[in-house]
Amino acid sequence: MTTAIPNSYRSGPDERGHFGIFGGRFVAETLMPLILDLEKAYADAKADPAFQGEMNSYRTHYVGRPSPLYYAERLTEHLGGAKIYFKRDELNHTGSHKVNNVLGQIMLARRMGKKRIIAETGAGQHGVATATLCARFGLDCVVYMGAVDVERQQPNVLRMEMLGAKVIPVQSGARTLKDAMNEALRDWVTNVHNTFYCIGTVAGPHPYPMMVRDFQSVIGQETRTQMQEAEGRLPDSLVACIGGGSNAMGLFHPFLDDPSVEIFGVEAAGHGLTQLHAASIAGGRPGVLHGNRTYLLMDDDGQIAEAHSISAGLDYPGIGPEHSWLHEAKRVTYLSATDDEALDAFLLLSRLEGIIPALEPAHAVAKVMQLAPNKPKDHLMVVNLCGRGDKDVPQVGEILRKRAKQS
Amino acid sequence: MTSRMDARFAQLKSEGRSAFVTFVMGGDPDPETSLAIVKALPQAGADIIEIGMPFTDPMADGPSIQAAGLRALKAGMTLRKTLQLVRSFREGDAATPIVLMGYYNPIYIYGVDKFLDDAKSAGVDGLIIVDLPPEEDDELCIPALKAGLNFIRLATPTTDDKRLPAVLANTSGFVYYVSITGITGAAAADSSAVGSAVARIKRHTALPVCVGFGIRTPETARAIAAHADGAVVGTALVDALKASLDAEGRATAKTVNAVADLAAALAQGVRGAQQAAE
């Protein structure tokens, strides 16, 4: 059973930013000196108790951590199997887990003397978190967002603008998250001297995948402690949705070396895996984009494919490199949920638990609906509820109206 | 260095002038027209030709070259067809060095070893891969050098003296100095700043230094060429091509000449530089 596993799944990346063959630093020369500076600045900050202390203080008093670990009694009864807990990261200030990472990066940007912050955003949750902390610390904030996402996530666009950020709709490519990231990289190449690029997920060139994971790992660390308090032991399984995979990595990472904990990542299967989707591991293969080698959706010529998901936050043709490695190492099982499954989970959760989840974690809940009934009643399953659904209410309302008309 | 690249810079040195380096996107606006354009460039005065390998996500390129890549992809261009374009060009021109420029993923998916074999046999002389810094030299740079191809590195205003040796270590053919921090087709280069940057790079290497990004007119080309071993023009040629297309983005009877005529004017600018300097 324990043969052929590495000593630890938590020791990566190596000094060149590699998780196995994944990760790396595939960026233009203009950016390379900045990335090396960032790596050094992050290493210094990580070792500085004052930095950690200040971050913990903001986590407590500004973000509202720790987020609760909540026993979802009615969902548990409804599914009739595993005992289901929600890690309530949707209760954070700004409404998602994104703020955990942004807080860390903005504190680092201040330490590095950077006054201008840029970010890409899909659903707008990372953009809102970045705009929020830039407002809090008086920094200039520019957010790149695909024009399609600007359209379907209007509430978040308005929030960012009210917070003083400039939202730039990106018209290139499929006009979603991938294109927003291209445009943010172009801005960074142009404004290297004063600009800090606050990447929203565990992707991009080293040190971003490691750094974002570290900032998000507070999710899993709290979960360990809270589950000990609630049940006196570790959970038996973890489930989280994956676009780039930062909420999932944050929950998973502190448990990777606990072999008794089964771990499931849920990608977005869109219209289905044989049609348009955003499931890089299920439907892609290793390639190089946005500074790292990882699983990507692409054609036979290496041209990147356009992803599709009902959820703007999962609508990305890649995945963080550490997930690609955990997939190949078989430590984490990657599943996928379709748009329709996510929508059903969104509605079920709203009505059973009085929690309107974001469409992103609704993908995780959709798989819980299939996994939980097959588990014994003493099986402890934790789902990361990484975002709240307020931003999705207009979009889901529209879909429900269309459905009602058709029937 | 490949013999073609060697011979070309030796010839330019004997003529006492800088190189005029042109960039066009392979397959833009369609594979046939693109071949006709590439064939017309040496006649127009191009000393070295860079051919873009289209990619969906060109992170260091501005709107003009992004659009050129998408036009080419829409017209069915692939990496295999880009190599075919070079092969067809070589049937009529054994002397002009060809450099393929682009991003790593299509090559990685094609297979590095197979790509290097096919590029070499097609008559490619060098590679410029934007997203492969020295930190990733094991991926393609070292294998390319072993295969006898030049690996031409970009040096930028952010590449300081401490970092330059690492950037130059496995560079061959020439050094491509990116004259601005930014994307292709953005700001204009300032020729005096370029002059000191080129001098700084030359303190670290005996390789020729060509300068690109921000050169759009014969006048700028002349000013830059006075300070460097070569001037690279891309976006201006791509814009001239685009302006010649019909409403549906298809080539017209004017397309090849639109690019060749501008190239000829720019070549005159570059050639004027050394005369002025003499």
Side-chain angles (χ1 to χ4, degrees):
Chain A
M1 166 79 199
T2 52
T3 52
I5 60 163
N7 289 332
S8 172
Y9 289 99
R10 304 179 67 222
S11 56
D14 66 17
E15 70 284 357
R16 295 170 63 205
H18 291 151
F19 303 92
I21 68 160
F22 300 104
R25 290 176 288 209
F26 297 88
V27 295
E29 173 59 24
T30 315
L31 296 180
M32 206 51 227
L34 280 83
I35 285 168
L36 295 173
D37 278 355
L38 176 65
E39 186 182 347
K40 193 172 167 299
Y42 175 58
D44 288 350
K46 196 175 176 179
D48 180 355
F51 181 86
Q52 297 296 333
E54 195 186 350
M55 184 159 67
N56 286 337
S57 171
Y58 283 113
R59 277 176 176 166
T60 305
H61 303 290
Y62 192 70
V63 175
R65 302 208 70 93
S67 69
L69 184 71
Y70 161 74
Y71 167 42
E73 190 176 1
R74 291 197 71 211
L75 183 67
T76 298
E77 278 169 13
H78 178 80
L79 296 175
K83 188 171 183 184
I84 300 162
Y85 281 86
F86 292 157
K87 181 59 175 164
R88 304 274 321 260
D89 254 55
E90 98 281 12
L91 292 176
N92 293 334
H93 181 40
T94 75
S96 81
H97 71 290
K98 292 293 187 185
V99 70
N100 302 328
N101 164 47
V102 173
L103 172 64
Q105 286 199 50
I106 294 298
M107 285 181 51
L108 188 59
R110 294 179 77 219
R111 200 178 158 99
M112 294 174 77
K114 306 280 186 180
K115 303 269 186 257
R116 180 176 180 267
I117 308 297
I118 59 170
E120 83 295 334
T121 197
Q125 295 299 89
H126 175 59
V128 166
T130 306
T132 298
L133 281 149
C134 286
R136 170 62 185 79
F137 290 110
L139 301 168
D140 285 343
C141 180
V142 175
V143 180
Y144 290 92
M145 186 168 187
V148 167
D149 293 339
V150 166
E151 209 50 48
R152 63 178 162 176
Q153 305 277 239
Q154 265 300 314
N156 274 345
V157 174
L158 294 173
R159 286 168 80 195
M160 285 185 272
E161 288 174 349
M162 284 169 196
L163 290 159
K166 186 174 177 194
V167 180
I168 301 183
V170 175
Q171 299 290 351
S172 60
R175 296 175 293 153
T176 59
L177 182 52
K178 161 177 88 88
D179 311 290
M181 195 151 182
N182 288 333
E183 216 50 42
L185 284 163
R186 289 179 187 124
D187 179 311
W188 202 25
V189 163
T190 307
N191 300 296
V192 284
H193 296 294
N194 65 346
T195 298
F196 185 100
Y197 182 14
C198 183
I199 294 184
T201 191
V202 285
H206 178 65
Y208 283 99
M210 169 184 80
M211 180 171 72
V212 177
R213 173 200 74 198
D214 291 349
F215 290 142
Q216 291 293 2
S217 290
V218 66
I219 300 172
Q221 287 153 6
E222 287 175 4
T223 301
R224 279 186 89 93
T225 309
Q226 290 167 324
M227 191 57 99
Q228 281 294 345
E229 285 165 6
E231 300 278 356
R233 65 184 183 91
L234 290 176
D236 297 301
S237 62
L238 309 172
V239 188
C241 66
I242 297 187
S246 70
N247 91 82
M249 195 54 71
L251 176 65
F252 298 170
H253 196 260
F255 293 98
L256 290 175
D257 286 339
D258 298 294
S260 69
V261 181
E262 262 188 296
I263 306 181
F264 300 96
V266 183
E267 297 189 289
H271 298 318
L273 290 178
T274 57
Q275 301 173 55
L276 279 174
H277 65 85
S280 316
I281 284 184
R285 55 182 159 150
V288 174
L289 180 71
H290 292 158
N292 59 171
R293 179 172 11 238
T294 193
Y295 273 73
L296 297 168
L297 300 178
M298 64 178 115
D299 71 10
D300 291 340
D301 190 41
Q303 306 297 337
I304 307 304
E306 292 178 4
H308 165 79
S309 170
I310 189 174
S311 142
L314 305 182
D315 202 343
Y316 181 70
I319 183 169
E322 193 167 7
H323 284 295
S324 292
W325 178 71
L326 289 169
H327 164 67
E328 293 205 343
K330 297 188 163 51
R331 175 62 186 101
V332 176
T333 304
Y334 292 86
L335 309 169
S336 61
T338 64
D339 289 353
D340 286 342
E341 288 173 327
L343 202 58
D344 291 344
F346 177 98
L347 296 172
L348 182 76
L349 200 58
S350 299
R351 300 205 181 150
L352 275 183
E353 294 287 351
I355 296 172
I356 301 179
L359 283 169
E360 289 80 11
H363 286 72
V365 175
K367 287 297 114 168
V368 167
M369 288 162 65
Q370 294 169 8
L371 293 166
N374 299 318
K375 303 288 186 190
K377 288 192 190 309
D378 61 353
H379 179 106
L380 305 177
M381 182 176 281
V382 176
V383 195
N384 198 8
L385 222 57
C386 63
R388 59 175 175 246
D390 308 38
K391 69 186 174 66
D392 297 314
V393 165
Q395 187 195 357
V396 172
E398 187 62 28
I399 293 169
L400 295 180
R401 266 193 299 280
K402 276 185 192 156
R403 271 192 183 177
K405 251 185 221 166
Q406 279 162 5
S407 62
Chain B
M1 243 190 234
T2 62
S3 52
R4 259 190 299 265
M5 193 73 83
D6 261 340
R8 180 50 47 104
F9 276 105
Q11 175 210 336
L12 290 165
K13 197 168 184 185
S14 73
E15 291 176 20
R17 64 183 183 87
S18 299
F20 174 44
V21 185
T22 56
F23 170 94
V24 289
M25 182 61 74
D28 176 29
D30 61 74
E32 296 71 30
T33 310
S34 183
L35 176 61
I37 290 169
V38 173
K39 280 181 170 172
L41 287 171
Q43 187 65 34
D47 299 304
I48 297 168
I49 300 174
E50 294 176 6
I51 298 177
M53 297 175 280
F55 183 49
T56 40
D57 294 83
M59 301 170 314
D61 285 301
S64 294
I65 293 179
Q66 288 175 41
L70 293 180
R71 282 195 297 272
L73 291 172
K74 205 174 153 200
M77 204 60 182
T78 60
L79 186 51
R80 194 164 280 104
K81 288 181 185 171
T82 303
L83 293 172
Q84 182 55 47
L85 189 158
V86 176
R87 202 170 288 119
S88 303
F89 171 81
R90 275 280 167 256
E91 288 168 6
D93 186 322
T96 308
I98 295 279
V99 174
L100 295 183
M101 182 165 183
Y103 297 81
Y104 183 42
N105 197 55
I107 294 172
Y108 179 68
I109 296 306
Y110 192 98
V112 165
D113 292 339
K114 183 173 185 306
F115 170 78
L116 292 173
D117 283 351
D118 292 356
K120 184 80 184 162
S121 76
V124 172
D125 299 280
L127 304 172
I128 301 175
I129 308 301
V130 177
D131 54 355
L132 286 178
E135 281 74 4
E136 301 292 350
D137 268 359
D138 295 344
E139 295 284 335
L140 181 66
C141 174
I142 305 292
L145 296 177
K146 279 190 188 143
L149 287 168
N150 291 144
F151 198 84
I152 296 148
R153 192 98 65 192
L154 304 175
T156 73
T158 60
T159 313
D160 60 17
D161 280 327
K162 206 172 123 224
R163 185 165 167 79
L164 255 179
V167 169
L168 296 171
N170 290 319
T171 302
S172 69
F174 61 90
V175 179
Y176 187 139
Y177 179 65
V178 175
S179 60
I180 53 164
T181 58
I183 52 179
T184 52
D190 169 48
S191 64
S192 65
V194 166
S196 57
V198 170
R200 181 169 71 89
I201 294 170
K202 281 182 167 290
R203 284 200 293 275
H204 294 267
T205 181
L207 289 171
V209 179
C210 298
V211 175
F213 284 43
I215 306 175
R216 301 189 62 90
T217 64
E219 292 70 35
T220 323
R222 178 183 295 122
I224 296 290
H227 295 289
D229 301 304
V232 189
V233 180
T235 298
L237 296 172
V238 168
D239 286 345
L241 182 154
K242 180 172 183 258
S244 76
L245 302 177
D246 71 13
E248 274 79 50
R250 290 173 306 209
T252 64
K254 293 182 290 187
T255 298
V256 175
N257 284 341
V259 179
D261 290 351
L262 177 60
L266 290 158
Q268 286 310 311
V270 172
R271 282 161 202 249
Q274 292 311 107
Q275 284 155 12
E278 274 161 12

